Amino acid sequence: MTETDILPQPAQKRVFIKTYGCQMNVYDSDRMADALAPQGYVPTQEIGEADLVLLNTCHIREKASEKVFSELGRLRELQDEKRATGGDMMIGVAGCVAQAEGEEIARRAPVVDMVFGPQAYHRLPDMLQRAEAQRHLHPALKKAVIDTDFPEEDKFAHLPAARKEVTIKRGLTAFLTVQEGCDKFCSFCVVPYTRGAEVSRPVAQVLAEARNLVEAGVKELTLLGQNVNAYHGVDAAGRAVGLGELAYLLADIPGLERLRYTTSHPRDMDDALIAAHRDLPLLMPYLHLPVQSGSDRILKAMNRKHTAAEYLRLIERIKSARPDMALSGDFIVGFPGETDQDFEDTLTIIRETGYASAYSFKYSTRPGTPGANLGDQVAEEIKTERLYRLQELVNQQTTDFHASCVGKTMPVLIERVGRMPGQVGGRSPYLQAVHLDGSPDLIGAIHEVEIVGTSTNSLVGRLKVAAAA
Ligand code: 5AD
Ligand code: SF4
């Protein structure tokens, strides 16, 4: 009998985590689940059976906090129903809305037991205990536990390593956060305020977690960071290692077959990273490199610290290192002061770059950012019209990109059985969904597939059978 056999085991409770926003939040939600496991919490997909509901929120654009308040209204009703039948449910708000509006949430929504920002996830068990201690108090005496400090200590050092179940649940692909926060201060963006200054995880920690994931069956890793190519983790000798060098180290892990990273800032695409794209076949030829605008005037006002021409030159350098590179981007229309000409310049840079996909947004004022103090706001109907035109252009580019794949043979990571019987589905190097006829035995490996057609948002492939010798 081991010591853990005699220790009293905590009763099993269920946690439902609702994740909004970026992949970093998806990763963080998994880490919250890990931090709660020793407290006896297992994740559930059924909100009705949850003892604890966590909303992992996003603050990047407008309306995010209003969404949180309306979700909290629904949760209060659910909690009332549960209490009427002798049950109960605790509620926590995590993520960037929590970081930005902690006090306000606690004041406006007394139903909330805990409010905590992205730097506090490793303290979740302690917060939970403090919140549970108040459960039996009269509602008027209850106070939400709020933790929105940016502590000096390193949250990564305290997070439990990914549990096997988490990695297995993720299957063949996984996210791995290597960097968090941002020092760029683009004038429209809340990230430097909600996620704080840039912090990189030490190299050994990243490699250990990557090895763990690969041992659990992961073939494709996506390194995450708000500004991931600014990564500068220290190695055992105390030396700062950039993302390019990290990619070479990860490439040495046996069994790891694909590597991606997101999101990058053009100014941090250094020579070492571009060289890694030239040298490492596992580094996928698909890069998310947002430019936001094609107008130098607007880029300056956005504090992006580069020009349109510098961006285009950078794309050229990346493509000469890796000719099959495809790009995705982010665009904002209607930044304060954006004229028709500025917007035309954005369409021009889109035409010149040629994107495989792009995300585009109407500018929304984020309180506390420098952009919030600018006059000359663009009228809503102009933003709507510009967004429509921009999306028409990038949708056409996406369609053209899919069409350009027809006739090519590419490696596809087969991940699952397909929608039709006898079919399997997977991902191309460019993250396109690919469907093909094939047996489920193909699942779990990369196979050469000839692309024979396209359908809405996906490709149709045919398995290439190696010619007999
Ligand atoms: N308004 C509109 N879009 C924004 N983004 C970030 N902040 C804002 C904002 N205030 C977009 C940018 C960024 C993406 C994640 O969200 O394009 O790259
Ligand atoms: Fe925000 Fe700019 Fe940092 Fe990206 S680089 S997270 S847009 S401040």
Side-chain angles (χ1 to χ4, degrees):
M1 192 183 265
T2 65
E3 202 180 333
T4 42
D5 289 329
I6 12 181
L7 286 174
Q9 294 297 306
Q12 200 174 73
K13 290 174 274 183
R14 293 183 195 282
V15 56
F16 177 92
I17 307 181
K18 180 160 182 175
T19 309
Y20 300 82
C22 67
Q23 285 140 341
M24 177 88 68
N25 268 9
V26 175
Y27 178 90
D28 281 348
S29 291
D30 280 347
R31 296 293 83 75
M32 284 187 230
D34 293 343
L36 287 169
Q39 316 298 308
Y41 279 91
V42 291
T44 175
Q45 306 301 321
E46 270 300 318
I47 196 165
E49 63 175 33
D51 302 287
L52 170 65
V53 174
L54 297 176
L55 303 181
N56 192 6
T57 62
C58 170
H59 201 231
I60 193 98
R61 285 175 292 276
E62 217 169 22
K63 299 203 182 109
S65 45
E66 284 318 307
K67 264 196 227 160
V68 173
F69 283 111
S70 51
E71 184 67 34
L72 287 171
R74 283 192 290 276
L75 287 177
R76 202 184 62 187
E77 285 170 22
L78 184 62
Q79 191 186 56
D80 286 346
E81 278 169 32
K82 285 196 146 195
R83 286 184 173 163
T85 54
D88 205 355
M89 180 174 92
M90 293 182 74
I91 297 169
V93 181
C96 296
V97 176
Q99 183 66 44
E101 299 181 21
E103 298 285 345
E104 171 78 359
I105 294 170
R107 196 180 57 73
R108 265 180 69 183
V111 69
V112 171
D113 298 287
M114 298 179 292
V115 186
F116 52 101
Q119 310 306 320
Y121 297 156
H122 59 288
R123 291 194 292 268
L124 190 49
D126 169 59
M127 279 185 266
L128 197 60
Q129 262 180 6
R130 285 192 283 145
E132 271 172 351
Q134 299 196 41
R135 264 183 132 177
H136 306 294
L137 291 180
H138 184 276
L141 297 173
K142 261 176 62 175
K143 267 184 86 175
V145 176
I146 303 180
D147 190 339
T148 50
D149 290 343
F150 277 118
E152 287 296 305
E153 53 177 330
D154 172 9
K155 86 163 189 188
F156 291 126
H158 296 273
L159 285 176
R163 284 174 302 130
K164 276 243 156 84
E165 304 97 272
V166 174
T167 56
I168 287 165
K169 188 188 80 198
R170 296 221 147 272
L172 298 165
T173 62
F175 296 129
L176 199 173
T177 294
V178 300
Q179 177 278 342
E180 192 173 355
C182 185
D183 294 341
K184 288 282 181 294
F185 290 93
C186 301
S187 61
F188 52 82
C189 185
V190 282
V191 166
Y193 310 96
T194 54
R195 291 275 173 168
E198 262 177 47
V199 181
S200 293
R201 291 177 83 175
V203 175
Q205 230 185 73
V206 172
L207 294 178
E209 188 163 340
R211 279 194 204 101
N212 234 333
L213 289 161
V214 173
E215 263 167 40
V218 167
K219 306 263 185 244
E220 172 178 313
L221 268 185
T222 303
L223 309 180
L224 295 181
Q226 262 89 30
N227 190 9
V228 73
N229 59 349
Y231 176 82
H232 56 277
V234 289
D235 67 6
R239 202 174 50 94
V241 167
L243 193 68
E245 200 179 330
L246 183 70
Y248 288 93
L249 296 171
L250 287 162
D252 284 338
I253 297 179
L256 180 60
E257 301 193 35
R258 286 180 162 185
L259 189 60
R260 306 177 186 277
Y261 56 90
T262 192
T263 284
S264 298
H265 191 290
R267 278 178 61 92
D268 291 315
M269 285 305 298
D270 62 12
D271 291 345
L273 186 53
I274 296 175
H277 277 287
R278 182 195 60 213
D279 297 342
L280 301 175
L282 102 165
L283 206 47
M284 288 293 98
Y286 187 46
L287 178 63
H288 185 61
L289 196 61
V291 67
Q292 315 293 354
S293 167
S295 150
D296 288 345
R297 230 172 52 78
I298 297 297
L299 285 169
K300 190 160 199 298
M302 286 177 164
N303 195 31
R304 293 289 290 182
K305 299 205 175 84
H306 64 79
T307 62
E310 281 161 352
Y311 180 81
L312 290 169
R313 169 83 197 104
L314 173 63
I315 303 284
E316 259 175 43
R317 281 171 55 219
I318 297 169
K319 283 195 170 168
S320 56
R322 182 85 205 229
D324 57 347
M325 179 67 80
L327 289 146
S328 84
D330 290 346
F331 296 92
I332 297 177
V333 299
F335 187 80
E338 185 185 74
T339 62
D340 284 343
Q341 185 54 51
D342 294 321
F343 175 65
E344 290 302 327
D345 291 347
T346 299
L347 297 182
T348 302
I349 205 169
I350 294 173
R351 285 190 199 100
E352 287 181 13
T353 305
Y355 289 91
S357 79
Y359 303 91
S360 48
F361 315 98
K362 292 184 203 173
Y363 172 72
S364 70
T365 302
R366 310 312 294 130
T369 61
N373 304 324
L374 297 174
D376 209 4
Q377 293 287 330
V378 175
E380 190 59 28
E381 46 305 351
I382 295 181
K383 285 188 200 171
T384 306
E385 202 246 347
R386 288 181 185 167
L387 188 68
Y388 179 81
R389 284 185 60 204
L390 191 152
Q391 289 185 341
E392 228 180 5
L393 176 59
V394 291
N395 289 345
Q396 187 56 51
Q397 291 194 337
T398 302
T399 307
D400 292 347
F401 180 71
H402 288 333
S404 75
C405 295
V406 176
K408 290 189 179 149
T409 295
M410 48 178 82
V412 173
L413 175 59
I414 311 278
E415 291 174 302
R416 59 188 165 274
V417 289
R419 280 175 293 196
M420 308 291 205
Q423 275 202 335
V424 288
R427 294 267 163 198
S428 78
Y430 306 107
L431 283 178
Q432 298 147 297
V434 184
H435 303 284
L436 57 144
D437 289 340
S439 99
D441 302 348
L442 300 171
I443 295 171
I446 294 174
H447 296 274
E448 289 296 316
V449 172
E450 184 186 351
I451 305 303
V452 293
T454 61
S455 68
T456 345
N457 296 324
S458 65
L459 302 179
V460 184
R462 187 190 300 139
L463 191 66
K464 270 279 211 210
V465 184

